[in-house]
Amino acid sequence: MTDRLYYHDSFLFDFDARVVETLERHGRHAVVLDRTAFYPTSGGQVHDTGRLLFDGRELAVTEVADEEGGSILHFVAESAAVGTAVHGSVDVARRRDHVQQHTGQHVLSAAFIRLFDMPTVSFHMGTESCTIDLATASLSEEQLRQAERVANEVVLEDRPVAIRFVPLEEARQLGLRKLPPKQTGELRLIDIQDFDLCACGGTHMRATGQIGSILVRKVEKVKQGVRVEFVCGLRAVATAARDYTTLSEAAGLLSTHIYELPQQVRKSQEEARAAGKAQQKLLEELAELQAERMLAQANGSPRVITAVFSGRDATFVKLLAQKLAAAQTGVVALLASGAGQPTLVFAQSPGQKWNMGQTMKEAMAQFGGRGGGTADMAQGGLPAGSSDVHKLEEALSHAASKFLSE
């Protein structure tokens, strides 16, 4: 069993130890030390990284994990012999970041309990942000801001954060925010003075003021309740700076102030919707005119109309095919779009004996594309590089032969 030095001092970054076991896990080397300050992934907090120094060599510790039986695995590029004396060095910046996030989580979770009786059921520390899942059906914006404000007041008050170990039976009498369900023996308690008492094996600040700040980012519904995303300390500073830069750039593009950005975006969306409706109306009118012109030039029974539109997209071609099929009886429209992905659209006036969906599948099989549809309307896409007008004309001519031969 490894002696966990971080249990007693979260700011211990350098230590001396001895290798007691070497092993492999999934093709990776790992060493077990008799004592370590490296924190393994556990309880929502991610592992430390750093270095092991011995015999003039340096091995990067890329991951740290708990092993059954209480040992801690330090994953390294190559192993070290059992009995080797090593000096461990934890990545200070990474550890301090994790300590800020984890202590901030304790404060924020306690705030939700104290204010609204919303317990935290899970915690996750990511590389950019952290989340807690609250056991509640809903969380209002006002409740969210109240919890954030109370949490930051606790940070400002710089309350001491103490570590203590107590027997399980004693812990049950102390009113812990959360008691581990399968814990035996002594419990390690994190005590934020007069605010939160929680069993936890993670690393924490010595006082709440070291958290710096707690910034709530967003809220979303999840299966087990409500998920709250947040960042603390230097992460909060970096996130706020990035958000401000992003908002400033967006506001500059719209020639407005960042605080007026939502209003300006809504205005732009309304203008875009209006422009879209106007464009759709113009396309409808253009398709009507185009259909009238093509029908006037068509003859035979059925009147098979084929055309390739190299500069029109599939939306217009489909609209035109619908107009042609709906305008008169006895019409078969075989159209192609060369803009974007090459697209074929087949349509016929209702009540005819052919099946456009089947015809499209046959055409796609012949020319290496995919598509299908109903008896009266079908659409298919040809492979990229098939937008050459001659290839599209060949595909339409092949399909038209089916109708002209009957």
Side-chain angles (χ1 to χ4, degrees), residues 282-320:
L282 289 174
L283 282 177
E284 292 271 356
E285 293 174 355
L286 180 60
E288 287 277 4
L289 292 172
Q290 186 74 47
E292 290 176 6
R293 186 178 299 114
M294 297 174 79
L295 287 168
Q297 297 172 355
N299 51 50
S301 181
R303 283 181 289 177
V304 179
I305 300 172
T306 63
V308 175
F309 297 86
S310 57
R312 291 288 183 181
D313 62 15
T315 300
F316 175 78
V317 170
K318 184 176 181 180
L319 181 60
L320 177 58

Side-chain angles (χ1 to χ4, degrees), residues 36-149:
T36 186
F38 283 94
Y39 181 81
T41 297
S42 177
Q45 180 176 336
V46 291
H47 61 83
D48 287 322
T49 59
R51 300 171 298 157
L52 292 181
L53 307 172
F54 62 97
D55 298 335
R57 298 162 60 195
E58 177 180 306
L59 293 180
V61 178
T62 57
E63 185 181 348
V64 187
D66 260 318
E67 179 82 336
E68 254 185 74
S71 297
I72 294 179
L73 304 183
H74 303 75
F75 287 92
V76 290
E78 55 184 283
S79 194
V82 172
T84 300
V86 301
H87 178 78
S89 182
V90 176
D91 184 320
V92 175
R94 181 180 172 94
R95 164 66 70 82
R96 284 177 173 166
D97 171 58
H98 292 175
V99 170
Q100 282 188 316
Q101 309 313 310
H102 202 161
T103 313
Q105 177 263 311
H106 278 237
V107 174
L108 189 59
S109 291
F112 279 112
I113 279 282
R114 282 174 168 263
L115 292 171
F116 313 114
D117 194 27
M118 296 178 181
T120 294
V121 293
S122 68
F123 163 58
H124 173 72
M125 183 186 297
T127 55
E128 292 190 359
S129 63
C130 303
T131 60
I132 53 174
D133 289 354
L134 302 175
T136 180
S138 63
L139 178 66
S140 70
E141 179 69 19
E142 177 61 25
Q143 287 175 319
L144 184 70
R145 294 308 159 197
Q146 282 186 44
E148 182 185 50
R149 183 169 59 252

